[in-house]
Amino acid sequence: VTSLSDREAREQAFTSEDSTGYLYTYARYPNGDAHVVEASELNMDIIDVTKVSATLEGARYRIGVVQDAPAASSCTDELLRVSLRACNGSIGAVRPPLVLRLPTPVGLRPLVLSHKNIASPASFARSGALSDRPPEIGSVSQALVVMSDSSDKDMLGDARVHLRSSDPGCVEVLANLSAAATVGFAYRAVGSCTHATITATFNLGKWVRRAEAMVYVVRPRSLSVRGSVYPSCGV
């Protein structure tokens, strides 16, 4: 083996946090031959852990983008370094050609809740005697960040979206959307107030924005009871 070369390698461009790619490394011989080197024969060094990740999957490395990573390029930034284990550094390491062509967050879409009206379990509004009962719990059905390339980034199930209730004693919320995705709901009625505001804070690196949505707690306004004879006297 004379070298590991990326001279003929194609540049891999990652355009979102969800982008992934697989690393293929070739060893070149003096006669011009080349063959694929298994991942087990390589030393993989992640130089910048704030931008890229590498996970061994079978016989190859899976390359991914770290959350909140900024744009970068292996032409100007050292991201990864690959070398042969057997050669003990005698053959120079190579830098896989990567470009992080990542959009940046610029705004938020409206925060949308699955149910605007909820009721606490102890309330008569949740009684089985009623034909129409509001739910006790609700979830966030839309949490979108507008990106600089005009795409929408879906943040449902993402721990970087933190939730807060204006009245925790009445409407309880989970800590973040990752926890909400685990249990299947984001908020629930626990008291008897009339309404509360749910605030979602989006934290994408240094970019922080907030969105709000109102949720109303249903309570019985009045109850009237009228007696009657059954069966009636005419039967």
Side-chain angles (χ1 to χ4, degrees):
V1 180
T2 58
S3 67
L4 294 175
S5 175
D6 58 1
R7 180 176 53 193
E8 299 177 5
R10 294 182 179 179
E11 179 182 85
Q12 177 71 55
F14 292 159
T15 57
S16 76
E17 286 185 351
D18 301 321
S19 296
T20 59
Y22 289 93
L23 177 72
Y24 294 92
T25 306
Y26 293 83
R28 298 185 182 278
Y29 294 84
N31 63 359
D33 290 343
H35 79 273
V36 177
V37 181
E38 297 291 332
S40 59
E41 303 177 71
L42 297 173
N43 288 320
M44 166 65 76
D45 297 315
I46 304 175
I47 307 304
D48 195 335
V49 296
T50 67
K51 297 177 182 176
V52 294
S53 63
T55 306
L56 184 61
E57 290 187 359
R60 58 185 181 175
Y61 280 100
R62 179 177 182 269
I63 310 301
V65 181
V66 176
Q67 286 188 341
D68 305 323
S73 171
S74 57
C75 294
T76 56
D77 306 288
E78 192 166 15
L79 305 175
L80 299 173
R81 187 187 299 136
V82 180
S83 61
L84 285 173
R85 288 184 177 180
C87 295
N88 297 319
S90 60
I91 295 179
V94 296
R95 299 187 302 177
L98 299 176
V99 174
L100 305 186
R101 197 172 292 123
L102 303 174
T104 56
V106 295
L108 296 175
R109 301 293 185 193
L111 184 70
V112 179
L113 306 180
S114 62
H115 298 94
K116 290 186 177 181
N117 299 314
I118 57 176
S120 63
S123 171
F124 183 74
R126 290 280 300 151
S127 172
L130 302 176
S131 59
D132 187 14
R133 293 176 294 163
E136 177 189 346
I137 63 174
S139 60
V140 176
S141 56
Q142 177 177 292
L144 298 175
V145 176
V146 181
M147 307 301 288
S148 57
D149 61 357
S150 299
S151 65
D152 288 338
K153 181 174 179 59
D154 190 353
M155 300 293 288
L156 292 179
D158 199 306
R160 291 174 292 177
V161 182
H162 302 278
L163 301 177
R164 183 179 61 84
S165 171
S166 63
D167 189 347
C170 179
V171 176
E172 181 182 66
V173 298
L174 297 188
N176 55 61
L177 288 187
S178 176
T182 301
V183 300
F185 70 92
Y187 57 95
R188 62 183 175 186
V190 293
S192 58
C193 64
T194 58
H195 64 275
T197 300
I198 294 177
T199 301
T201 303
F202 295 73
N203 297 272
L204 278 73
K206 296 180 180 180
W207 190 87
V208 180
R209 295 293 187 277
R210 293 176 177 84
E212 296 181 345
M214 187 79 73
V215 62
Y216 298 90
V217 180
V218 179
R219 296 184 298 172
R221 176 177 295 178
S222 63
L223 176 66
S224 61
V225 178
R226 185 182 64 180
S228 62
V229 176
Y230 182 83
S232 65
C233 297
V235 178

